[in-house]
Amino acid sequence: MYLHTVDRAKDRPDRRVLLHRSYYANDLPRLMPLCRLLGHKPVVDGYDSKYGRDEERRKRWVACDRCGVRPEPQGDLAPDQWPLGAPYMGPFTGRLLSKTAARQFAKRGMTSPYPKNPGKWPENPTSDLSAELVVGRSHSIGADLKVGNPGSENALAAHIGLGPLGALYLSSGRFGTRVQRRFNNEGYESRETGFSIHNGRLWWNVWANRDHHRATDPKWMRGTLHIDPRHHILGPSKNRKVSETEKVAVTVYMPEGDTHDVLVHLEQWETRRTRGRGRTYWMAQWDCKAGIPVRNHDWKGDETYSCSWGIQGVTPDNPRWPYILAAKAAEQCTRDRARYGYRAPEPTEDDAA
């Protein structure tokens, strides 16, 4: 068992965040009181898929129905003979090949035979716990609980966000596997129950698929409700673009010495409710057709930014606004280059000439 922490504030420094750190506890012994007292409850586990090669679409192995621990080896049973969820009454005589035998098979270009029968149960199963704590500004107000699927890295996960006060994220590893097996042991869709408050609305999920929505989902599974009193008194808020300037070509100069041609322009937007006065503001945008590299990738090329995410505070009243936007673009990309540890390409002979 060992503990360690990671300071996340170094990656994304923010003066409004007092603490942003992750905590990990690894190789913690799993208690499993019923299994230690009564022994494991072996059942047939596995999956049926429509994808992949024919011999890989259906797999069966053995797992404990209470704690989810698998024998070592887990076994490779015949799908036609062993239905999913059935009690396993077969032998536990499987043994993995030694490392020497596995190397001999590899030298001959042969696949090592995997034991058909499961082996012995592990004597001291372990798992991990992790937490991420943010003290200061967080991005949400709400709470949720996730129950993982059979392929999830964490059987359970939870989150509570307190907006300006901070947030706490928890992950259980294999702790809580009994809950996962009882409530969500079919398919590969994690389930989420919780609520959040943002954009003047209350949002909720009740046992909803965590990663996607379906049109056939029942209405009670997800919902939203306006809680901003201005929405009910003054009407809904709507944004519209009033005007925009022509695009102006400028050059962005990066600290590494590379330059990039970009087009900048300003857009005037208005926010207005049905009743009451509206508010106008200017939003600046920059676009770079070739992109400005900010992150290195060895196999798919450098990641680039080709446009901004919107810059406020710049207006056409200042005649030098195009150059201000060029500096803002350089600032955005420089900040992310520092975050990702970007390395500029080495100059070539053609560049030197």
Side-chain angles (χ1 to χ4, degrees), residues 118-130:
K120 296 181 179 180
W121 296 101
E123 295 182 1
N124 298 302
T126 62
S127 187
D128 308 321
L129 290 174
S130 63

Side-chain angles (χ1 to χ4, degrees), residues 98-131:
S98 66
K99 293 182 179 180
T100 302
R103 283 196 295 267
Q104 293 297 326
F105 274 99
K107 287 181 180 179
R108 292 172 171 79
M110 301 171 61
T111 303
S112 302
Y114 194 82
K116 299 297 182 182
N117 295 331
K120 296 181 179 180
W121 296 101
E123 295 182 1
N124 298 302
T126 62
S127 187
D128 308 321
L129 290 174
S130 63

Side-chain angles (χ1 to χ4, degrees), residues 32 52 73 113 125 136 140 148 150 175-176 205 220 241 262 266 269 273 292 301:
M32 305 181 303
S140 65
F175 292 107
N205 296 323
W220 56 261
K241 185 164 63 173
V262 302
L266 299 174
W269 286 79
R273 295 185 180 274
I292 301 177

Side-chain angles (χ1 to χ4, degrees), residues 49-57:
S49 175
K50 300 178 181 179
Y51 309 101
R53 295 182 298 179
D54 292 341
E55 63 272 17
E56 296 179 350
R57 292 184 180 181

Side-chain angles (χ1 to χ4, degrees), residues 191-209:
R191 296 286 184 165
E192 184 177 36
T193 300
F195 74 95
S196 62
I197 299 174
H198 56 86
N199 298 330
R201 288 171 173 257
L202 170 67
W203 307 74
W204 68 83
N205 296 323
V206 179
W207 201 245
N209 291 325

